[in-house]
Amino acid sequence: MPRDLPLSNGRLLVCFDRDYCLRDLYYPHVGQENHVLGARCRLGVWVDGRFSWVGEEWRRELLYAPDTLVTDVRLYHEGLKLLLHCRDGVDFHEDILLREVQVENLAPDPREVRLFFSLDLSISGNNVGDTAAFDPKSGGVLHYKGARYFLANAWGEVTDGLEQFAVGEKGLPGKEGTWRDAEDGLLSGNPIAQGSVDSVLGVRLTVPGMDRRAAYFWLAAGENRAQVQRLDDLVKSRHPARLLKRTADYWTLWIKKESPPLGLLPPRVGELYHRSLLILRTQIDAQGGILAGNDSDVIHFNRDTYSYIWPRDGALVAHALDLAGHPTAPRQFFRFLAPLLEPEGCFLHKYNPDGTLASSWHPWYEEGQPQLPIQEDSTALVVWALWHHFVSYRDLDFIKPLYRPLVKKAADFMCAYRDPETGLPAPSYDLWEERRGILSFTVGAVFGGLTAAALFCMVFGEEEQAERYRRVAAEIRDMASLYLWRPEAQSFCRMLRRTPEGALEVDLTPDASLWGLFAFGLYTGDDPRIAATMSRLRERLWVPGPVGGMARYEGDPYHRVSPEVPGNPWFICTLWLADYLLERGDEAGEEEALEILTWVTDHALPSGVLAEQLHPLTGEPLSVSPLTWSHATYVTTVHRLLRRLARKAARTEAEAVYAPYQRPEDWIARLYAQTCDSIHGLCKV
């Protein structure tokens, strides 16, 4: 089930599903240590002797308040004659989840309404050895294990302690969970339980007819009892509503501190642009890791999650944030990654938010031979994104300590890690993590990475080193034209692989990742070979039917639901088509690209969350939701369109409005042009 409402401050991340159940709670890292692990932490309502957990019986509208990371949730139950207006937020500064529930009584007479908040924790990702207990000092319920403490509390009509609570065992024979205790409207008051445990908190409101009253729930996270009790005291002294307001104000200020000319686009496109930036922030850890996606339901597919840092995904997300004028998270990301570079000069598959190596299925040993289990595009795109960050902000003092240990070391690796026969980057794993070979996407990324490294060397006055990187980039471009372009198919191939006999085998499967051949500067968007390739991809990968969108590649089996389509539509692949249409440079391309951006807004969840892929027949989200990469690609494509519109209207007010975003600066633009001319001048094919 998708996560419709993620909320985070960089340390505490919570995710709500479409039933308004809290399903994931990460602390102290975004994406590491999920203390709920997909269980359902529910909101229940008792009135007039009837009880209901919020879910299918309720009409639910799950949105965010505009331009902020505070929710705007409406819940209506016709039979109970109740309308709930809920606001949720993770405090921007302290590790506290805050929830406000405004209960509107739609009946003419006053009624007593009881609200119940269930908390089903599996601390540190397992439900062994947890303790839940009533804490008399705070008047709340404390869950703890090891150095992880969570203190839950609530206010209704009484604001000096809980009116009802219960803790107990769960998941045992005859003990489904303490949350069942709420269904008669009364809680047992059991004060402590250990092992596999959960808890329920209850509050009471007397709501006049046709009127409303508010209740509050909060959850403080810390590493010891004193920390969470301090946070509990803070909520009580400041009031939950004031903390929610300051959090809403902070995110509104953050999103509006940069103002690209979104007025040139339809309002809904601009709204999703802002929402995408905010959702990106929920998936970024305070220590710099950019997570691919935090949705624990995917664990049922392959017993693992997307809660990791892939250097490639992170680099592209960092680039999107740089384009949007938000450099802090990219800087933290580059600092996070730099010490993780292997001695050889490459990044491995993926990493945990604390910087440790994450799980992997890429082997170190294959067919009797050792190998580097890498996706080389990850290494190249970090260097490429770092250059574009420097182009935007010229923060030389930030770049200086990264220049030798990251930029030059990675570039030296890219120069050395080449196939001896073709001169192209040596075999590595593809961006889809399914096959190993000489990959067109990787070739484009390595070209971009080496070009970026050459530019860095020019900035730091190392002309000979810059020339070396330029020459290798030129050789790679020559060999790409010779080996990857296939005249018989009028298309670039997806990859080359070695047969057991050592011969090169060509894989011509249409694959959306061929976008990488022009995205990082290897070829231009108006190159006839790129045009022919993209035309073939559009013809073979566009999903027929009412949903539409571009599949990853022909015959994609991942979450496949119908043999009648080439694969499920992916947001990133569809947006890559828009990128090409804009790079093609004609008015028809602009119009079609805008249609694709509108298609994305039409297929986002009502909250604005973008999944990884869609069901090709129903349009329902599939796989991880939200996917950080989807939102970053949307942001990047919007900026590509805005730049195109600004160039087109060179003498209009549109260009003046967008002038601050016309980066790089003149001297960097000249340097970039000179370097590209030099590389292309060295090319022979």
Side-chain angles (χ1 to χ4, degrees):
M1 184 178 290
R3 301 302 187 247
D4 291 54
L5 298 170
L7 302 166
S8 177
N9 64 2
R11 296 176 305 277
L12 175 63
L13 165 66
V14 300
C15 304
F16 292 90
D17 69 12
R18 64 178 55 177
D19 288 333
Y20 194 50
C21 292
L22 192 157
R23 298 289 305 282
D24 298 303
L25 187 158
Y26 299 89
Y27 173 84
H29 291 287
V30 169
Q32 191 168 2
E33 293 190 48
N34 188 346
H35 305 285
V36 172
L37 208 62
R40 287 173 167 79
C41 300
R42 302 167 167 88
L43 169 62
V45 181
W46 180 96
V47 64
D48 298 336
R50 297 174 60 188
F51 183 90
S52 177
W53 293 109
V54 170
E56 291 297 328
E57 294 180 349
W58 293 73
R59 188 183 305 165
R60 307 176 304 285
E61 185 180 64
L62 275 63
L63 305 173
Y64 291 94
D67 292 338
T68 191
L69 279 176
V70 170
T71 69
D72 182 10
V73 174
R74 307 297 173 105
L75 308 166
Y76 171 67
H77 195 295
E78 184 176 11
L80 298 181
K81 292 184 170 55
L82 289 178
L83 174 66
L84 308 185
H85 179 197
C86 307
R87 296 194 302 148
D88 313 271
V90 169
D91 188 78
F92 81 95
H93 185 61
E94 304 282 5
D95 297 328
I96 311 168
L97 167 65
L98 302 151
R99 305 183 68 180
E100 177 187 82
V101 182
Q102 293 271 355
V103 179
E104 185 171 348
N105 177 12
L106 301 179
D109 299 320
R111 293 191 292 169
E112 180 183 313
V113 180
R114 302 173 193 170
L115 300 176
F116 296 90
F117 302 89
S118 77
L119 195 57
D120 188 348
L121 298 187
S122 296
I123 297 177
S124 297
N126 68 79
N127 56 16
V128 177
D130 289 4
T131 298
F134 178 72
D135 177 40
K137 182 176 180 180
S138 65
V141 171
L142 181 68
H143 288 248
Y144 71 91
K145 179 167 64 185
R148 301 292 177 259
Y149 282 70
F150 301 93
L151 179 57
N153 218 331
W155 278 350
E157 289 182 357
V158 176
T159 58
D160 57 358
L162 288 174
E163 297 175 67
Q164 296 192 65
F165 69 88
V167 302
E169 297 174 320
K170 66 179 183 184
L172 301 173
K175 296 182 178 180
E176 186 178 359
T178 311
W179 56 277
R180 287 292 189 190
D181 189 20
E183 293 178 349
D184 62 356
L186 296 171
L187 296 175
S188 68
N190 183 48
I192 193 166
Q194 58 87 172
S196 177
V197 298
D198 66 336
S199 65
V200 187
L201 285 64
V203 297
R204 169 176 49 88
L205 296 171
T206 300
V207 187
M210 309 305 290
D211 204 347
R212 63 173 64 186
R213 292 291 185 271
Y216 298 91
F217 168 90
W218 61 93
L219 180 70
E223 296 185 357
N224 55 57
R225 186 180 178 190
Q227 284 183 8
V228 295
Q229 287 177 340
R230 179 190 70 81
L231 294 175
D232 181 76
D233 289 341
L234 174 70
V235 175
K236 291 171 180 173
S237 64
R238 297 279 187 90
H239 198 281
R242 288 178 61 192
L243 295 179
L244 277 168
K245 182 180 184 303
R246 80 171 188 175
T247 295
D249 290 346
Y250 172 83
W251 289 114
T252 299
L253 179 63
W254 182 84
I255 200 65
K256 291 186 175 179
K257 80 179 188 70
E258 299 292 337
S259 303
L262 298 175
L264 299 173
L265 306 174
R268 290 175 59 241
V269 172
E271 289 167 7
L272 186 56
Y273 171 87
H274 278 169
R275 180 55 52 199
S276 288
L277 287 172
L278 288 164
I279 290 172
L280 287 179
R281 280 298 303 266
T282 70
Q283 307 299 300
I284 298 175
D285 183 63
Q287 292 189 14
I290 297 176
L291 283 295
N294 294 286
D295 173 357
S296 63
D297 276 0
V298 76
I299 200 170
H300 302 299
F301 182 77
N302 63 356
R303 302 306 299 168
D304 208 342
T305 71
Y306 280 36
S307 295
Y308 301 112
I309 295 99
W310 275 263
R312 170 194 52 255
D313 297 37
L316 294 171
V317 174
H319 179 57
L321 289 167
D322 278 334
L323 290 174
H326 296 282
T328 302
R331 288 190 188 112
Q332 292 172 326
F333 171 71
F334 295 125
R335 287 193 184 108
F336 169 85
L337 273 186
L340 303 181
L341 201 68
E342 290 293 297
E344 295 88 348
C346 60
F347 291 109
L348 294 178
H349 187 182
K350 51 191 170 80
Y351 301 90
N352 294 309
D354 62 2
T356 55
L357 189 62
S359 60
S360 179
W361 53 93
H362 295 337
W364 292 81
Y365 187 77
E366 184 81 2
E367 297 178 354
Q369 298 294 325
Q371 66 175 18
L372 277 174
I374 64 170
Q375 300 166 28
E376 193 185 358
D377 62 282
S378 290
T379 302
L381 290 181
V382 170
V383 178
W384 173 85
L386 183 61
W387 167 255
H388 284 273
H389 171 88
F390 175 65
V391 164
S392 295
Y393 301 104
R394 285 91 60 202
D395 43 1
L396 193 60
D397 290 336
F398 166 71
I399 295 294
K400 181 184 173 183
L402 301 177
Y403 173 57
R404 291 190 184 279
L406 176 57
V407 174
K408 290 184 67 177
K409 191 173 182 180
D412 288 343
F413 172 81
M414 289 185 278
C415 288
Y417 193 69
R418 297 169 68 193
D419 178 70
E421 178 184 342
T422 65
L424 294 170
S428 67
Y429 288 92
D430 71 338
L431 77 165
W432 308 134
E433 308 181 300
E434 296 175 344
R435 55 193 62 83
R436 189 170 187 270
I438 299 171
L439 305 146
S440 286
F441 180 88
T442 303
V443 171
V446 169
F447 178 90
L450 285 172
T451 302
L455 289 161
F456 273 125
C457 289
M458 294 284 286
V459 169
F460 282 93
E462 296 194 283
E463 300 281 348
E464 290 184 8
Q465 195 75 340
E467 177 61 22
R468 178 186 173 220
Y469 297 153
R470 282 198 300 263
R471 186 167 295 280
V472 173
E475 291 170 0
I476 287 174
R477 189 177 189 275
D478 277 347
M479 295 302 103
S481 297
L482 183 62
Y483 285 97
L484 300 180
W485 170 249
R486 312 306 299 184
E488 69 277 14
Q490 283 296 289
S491 175
F492 284 98
C493 64
R494 170 166 69 176
M495 66 178 287
L496 305 170
R497 64 163 65 89
R498 293 282 177 189
T499 67
E501 296 75 29
L504 281 176
E505 182 178 76
V506 178
D507 181 349
L508 274 166
T509 304
D511 191 311
S513 68
L514 291 170
W515 164 85
L517 290 169
F518 70 86
F520 313 115
L522 181 62
Y523 299 103
T524 60
D526 58 0
D527 188 303
R529 294 168 297 182
I530 292 295
T533 299
M534 295 303 297
S535 177
R536 177 173 180 256
L537 294 183
R538 189 174 192 175
E539 179 183 344
R540 302 278 287 272
L541 298 183
W542 189 266
V543 176
V547 174
M550 289 279 283
R552 279 199 305 176
Y553 58 83
E554 200 167 63
D556 182 5
Y558 188 49
H559 289 286
R560 191 167 190 177
V561 297
S562 171
E564 304 301 319
V565 297
N568 300 332
W570 283 51
F571 285 113
I572 58 172
C573 300
T574 310
L575 288 164
W576 287 347
L577 174 60
D579 289 348
Y580 162 68
L581 294 168
L582 291 168
E583 289 301 305
R584 196 176 67 187
D586 55 62
E587 273 195 43
E590 292 171 21
E591 294 172 3
E592 290 180 87
L594 184 55
E595 289 174 5
I596 287 174
L597 288 169
T598 303
W599 175 88
V600 173
T601 65
D602 290 342
H603 290 88
L605 293 176
S607 64
V609 161
L610 297 175
E612 177 185 73
Q613 49 185 296
L614 299 171
H615 193 295
L617 306 179
T618 68
E620 287 293 305
L622 290 176
S623 189
V624 169
S625 178
L627 184 75
T628 312
W629 196 356
S630 295
H631 287 282
T633 308
Y634 186 85
V635 169
T636 304
T637 301
V638 166
H639 275 275
R640 196 183 293 265
L641 176 56
L642 290 176
R643 285 196 302 270
R644 173 71 187 161
L645 293 174
R647 286 196 299 267
K648 174 184 172 185
R651 299 175 185 271
T652 66
E653 184 181 355
E655 186 191 44
V657 173
Y658 198 71
Y661 300 86
Q662 291 282 0
R663 296 171 176 134
E665 295 294 316
D666 289 345
W667 70 272
I668 297 181
R670 288 196 298 271
L671 180 60
Y672 182 82
Q674 290 166 4
T675 301
C676 290
D677 289 345
S678 174
I679 291 173
H680 293 163
L682 291 168
C683 296
K684 304 180 184 63
V685 178

